[in-house]
Amino acid sequence: MSRFSTWVLRVLAILAAIAVVSACGDDDDATDGEVESETPASPEASVEPTEIAFVAGFKPQANLPFVGVYVAQEQGFFADEGLEVTIEHDTGGQGEAVRLLVAGEIEFTTADAAVVMQRRSDPGLPLLAVAQIGQTGQQGYAVKEDSGMDSPADWAGKIVGFKGAAAPPDLFAILEANGLSEDDIELVNIGFDPRVFVEGQVDVYPLFLSNEPFTIEQRLNTPITIFEAADYDIPTLGLTYVTSEDYAAEDPEAVEAFLRATLRGISWAAENRDEALAIVEIYAPEEDPELMAFMFDTELEAARVGAGTEGIGLFDDERWLALYELLLEHEGLTEEIDPAAAYDGSFVTEIYAEEP
C-alpha cells in the first residue's frame, strides 16, 4: 500500500471517530432534555393563589386601611401570602361594598365599627370586623376660630349640622356631656360640602377628621376649632377591615393571610411615608397629594392610640362594648345585638403572637 493510501485511511478513521463522539454527545444532550422535562414542578409552583376581592368603602384615597391594601399589592405582600387580590372602590360610599360582601361576591371591605353593629342590628347583616384600624372615631365638630364658641356648651341656640340619614349618637352624647339636649340646638342635615359652613349657613359643622380640617383651613382659608367625642370620654371607634361570618368560618387561613399582608403594608407605609404616598398616587391620581399626606398622617396617629399602642389592628373589648352601649342609649341601633359577635380579634392577635 502506498503512503498516500495509508494517509487517506488514517484520515477516514479519525473522521469516523469524531462522528461517533459527536453522536454520543447528541445522545447525552437528548437524554438531559428528557430528564429535565420529566422532573415534576415544585409544590410551590403548582399551588394556585387564593383569589380575593377587596372593595374599599369609599373612593381611592389615603384612608389607612386603603393604604395597607395598596402597599400590600404593590410591594408583593399579598403574593408572599399566596393571595391574588383584586382592588376596587365603592366610590359613592353608599354601602354597595357591604351588599357585595353579604352576597358573597367579594371577601373584604372597610366599615366604621359603629356601622358594623348598626348593620347587624338592622337589617341583620352577618358582617364581621376582623381588624380595628381606627382606634378613635372618624368625625369631629368644627366651629370657626373666631366664633366665640369655646365649648359645646356654647352651641345653645346655634345651627348644628349632621351628615347622612340621621344625626350620630356621639353628637347627642357630646350635647349631654355639656348640659344640652337636642331641643337646645337647631339640627339640620347639611350634606358633605364644607362651603355651607364657610359661608355661614351652619354654625357647627360635622367633619371627617382625616381630610376636612385640611380642606377648610388650607383650601378654604377658614381657621377652625374642633371638638371630638373623645375629649369628653365618649367612646368612638373608626374604620375596620370587614368580612362576612361565612367567609371567616369557611377560610380562616385566607382571612389571616389577608390581614397579615395588609398590616405589614401599614407597617411598611409608616416606615416609608414618602414611598407609601407615591403608591397612593397610583390608585388616587386625581387627589391632592398634600391632602393625601394629611389624611395618612392623621389616620396613622389615630391607629396608634388605645389598643393600637400594642399593635395596629388590635381590638379593645371594653371600648367596643362601650361603643355598643352608647349606640343603644342614643337610639343608634334598631334592635339589640350581641356586640361580641360583631367582631373577631383572634386573627390579629394570632398574627402578632407569631412575631419573634
Side-chain angles (χ1 to χ4, degrees):
M1 183 179 296
S2 67
R3 289 184 178 180
F4 177 77
S5 298
T6 303
W7 178 82
V8 170
L9 291 173
R10 288 178 178 176
V11 170
L12 292 173
I14 291 171
L15 291 174
I18 291 173
V20 171
V21 171
S22 297
C24 290
D26 289 343
D27 288 342
D28 288 343
D29 289 346
T31 302
D32 288 344
E34 291 172 3
V35 171
E36 183 176 347
S37 67
E38 292 173 359
T39 302
S42 64
E44 292 79 5
S46 64
V47 174
E48 291 293 327
T50 299
E51 295 183 359
I52 282 176
F54 167 81
V55 176
F58 199 53
K59 67 178 182 177
Q61 57 185 17
N63 285 126
L64 195 58
F66 300 9
V67 175
V69 171
Y70 301 158
V71 170
Q73 186 82 306
E74 299 302 317
Q75 292 297 115
F77 300 157
F78 284 137
D80 290 345
E81 297 292 338
L83 303 179
E84 184 176 302
V85 179
T86 301
I87 301 172
E88 302 288 347
H89 296 80
D90 184 359
T91 54
Q94 299 300 311
E96 178 64 12
V98 169
R99 186 194 69 77
L100 293 171
L101 182 72
V102 173
E105 296 180 36
I106 67 173
E107 284 69 46
F108 293 95
T109 185
T110 57
D112 189 271
V115 170
V116 173
M117 286 190 267
Q118 288 168 333
R119 296 297 171 268
R120 287 182 66 93
S121 172
D122 181 15
L125 303 180
L127 303 183
L128 185 69
V130 288
Q132 182 70 60
I133 306 302
Q135 298 290 337
T136 60
Q138 298 186 79
Q139 191 165 284
Y141 298 87
V143 299
K144 293 179 181 177
E145 197 173 78
D146 60 0
S147 67
M149 288 183 276
D150 299 320
S151 82
D154 299 321
W155 296 357
K158 304 296 184 181
I159 301 174
V160 179
F162 70 91
K163 299 174 179 177
D170 67 298
L171 172 58
F172 299 120
I174 290 175
L175 291 173
E176 184 179 284
N178 287 272
L180 300 178
S181 71
E182 182 179 350
D183 295 334
D184 296 311
I185 62 173
E186 182 181 349
L187 194 60
V188 296
N189 190 326
I190 59 166
F192 294 85
D193 188 346
R195 286 175 295 185
V196 301
F197 167 65
V198 172
E199 294 168 0
Q201 299 177 43
V202 63
D203 300 305
V204 182
Y205 180 75
L207 46 67
F208 288 103
L209 296 167
S210 64
N211 64 329
E212 289 187 287
F214 178 90
T215 298
I216 293 170
E217 294 195 311
Q218 301 300 320
R219 298 296 182 251
L220 299 177
N221 302 310
T222 305
I224 57 177
T225 300
I226 300 173
F227 304 99
E228 297 181 44
D231 298 335
Y232 307 97
D233 297 322
I234 298 167
T236 59
L237 291 168
L239 286 177
T240 68
Y241 282 124
V242 180
T243 189
S244 67
E245 288 182 344
D246 287 346
Y247 188 71
E250 292 168 3
D251 202 342
E253 293 82 5
V255 174
E256 186 169 327
F258 176 83
L259 293 176
R260 187 181 296 106
T262 51
L263 293 177
R264 184 182 174 192
I266 291 173
S267 178
W268 186 93
E271 296 174 1
N272 302 274
R273 178 179 181 271
D274 292 344
E275 293 90 336
L277 290 172
I279 289 174
V280 171
E281 285 194 55
I282 295 173
Y283 292 85
E286 298 180 1
E287 296 297 324
D288 181 343
E290 291 184 28
L291 173 57
M292 294 299 97
F294 180 89
M295 178 178 287
F296 174 75
D297 292 340
T298 301
E299 295 213 352
L300 182 60
E301 181 179 355
R304 286 173 160 169
V305 301
T309 60
E310 301 297 322
I312 290 176
L314 290 168
F315 288 88
D316 183 324
D317 297 337
E318 292 184 3
R319 285 185 61 78
W320 189 274
L321 177 59
L323 175 59
Y324 170 72
E325 292 174 344
L326 174 73
L327 294 174
L328 273 183
E329 180 182 354
H330 294 283
E331 300 180 358
L333 297 176
T334 304
E335 300 289 342
E336 292 187 18
I337 63 169
D338 176 4
Y343 73 102
D344 186 344
S346 65
F347 297 104
V348 177
T349 300
E350 179 63 26
I351 288 168
Y352 283 114
E354 293 170 357
E355 294 185 353

